[in-house]
Amino acid sequence: MPPAAANSRPNSDGTTTVAELRQLVADFVAERDWSQFHSPKNVSMALAIEAAELMEHFQWITTEASRRIADDPAKLAAVAEEIADVVGYSMALANELGLDLSSTIRAKMIKNAQKYPADQFRGRFGRDDDGQHRR
């Protein structure tokens, strides 16, 4: 489905707020009385574990093969579940720490833009990159 079509559906990125997703995670945790286990330490560790599980889907495959995962519905569904876990734990951690994700992400993007000016980094991944991407 094209991104524009996906964003017009109910409960899509185009219609769901960050606050709604955070509340969904908070309600899930509260319904199970898991707040007692959701210290920032524990949630950050769970987040790292889920990120590693996401990476497993891409381990040992080429860059091009990683891009083709979107063409395989079963593989894409498995990756999507891991992304949901990573984002869910990120929201749980923000909930535990009382962080406003929107302002935090915006502030970080401003910092990134200053650190990596587009005119100096367009098509490059680092200061020592000669522009030739290797696989």
Side-chain angles (χ1 to χ4, degrees):
M1 175 177 303
N7 286 334
S8 64
R9 295 180 312 195
N11 298 320
S12 70
D13 286 351
T15 60
T16 303
T17 68
V18 172
E20 290 171 326
L21 292 175
R22 286 182 65 164
Q23 190 61 55
L24 184 67
V25 171
D27 290 346
F28 182 88
V29 171
E31 288 168 359
R32 287 152 184 81
D33 191 25
W34 285 353
S35 292
Q36 60 185 317
F37 310 115
H38 275 220
S39 68
K41 177 193 82 68
N42 289 347
V43 177
S44 68
M45 293 171 74
L47 173 59
I49 291 164
E50 293 301 338
E53 290 178 10
L54 173 60
M55 288 187 295
E56 282 184 308
H57 293 279
F58 301 97
Q59 187 177 20
W60 311 121
I61 64 174
T62 65
T63 300
E64 289 309 312
S66 73
R67 289 190 168 113
R68 288 192 303 270
I69 282 182
D71 300 330
D72 182 326
K75 288 180 182 178
L76 184 61
V79 167
E81 284 193 15
E82 298 304 341
I83 291 172
D85 286 340
V86 168
V87 172
Y89 275 119
S90 295
M91 291 189 174
L93 185 56
N95 287 345
E96 285 299 314
L97 295 172
L99 294 172
D100 182 274
L101 283 173
S102 295
S103 61
T104 300
I105 291 170
R106 289 177 193 282
K108 181 61 176 174
M109 293 309 296
I110 289 168
K111 191 173 183 178
N112 286 347
Q114 292 167 347
K115 185 175 180 180
Y116 304 104
D119 62 333
Q120 295 176 30
F121 285 86
R122 187 169 287 105
R124 299 177 57 210
F125 58 82
R127 295 193 189 283
D128 297 328
D129 172 30
D130 61 8
Q132 302 299 312
H133 297 280
R134 293 169 185 82
R135 294 184 187 139

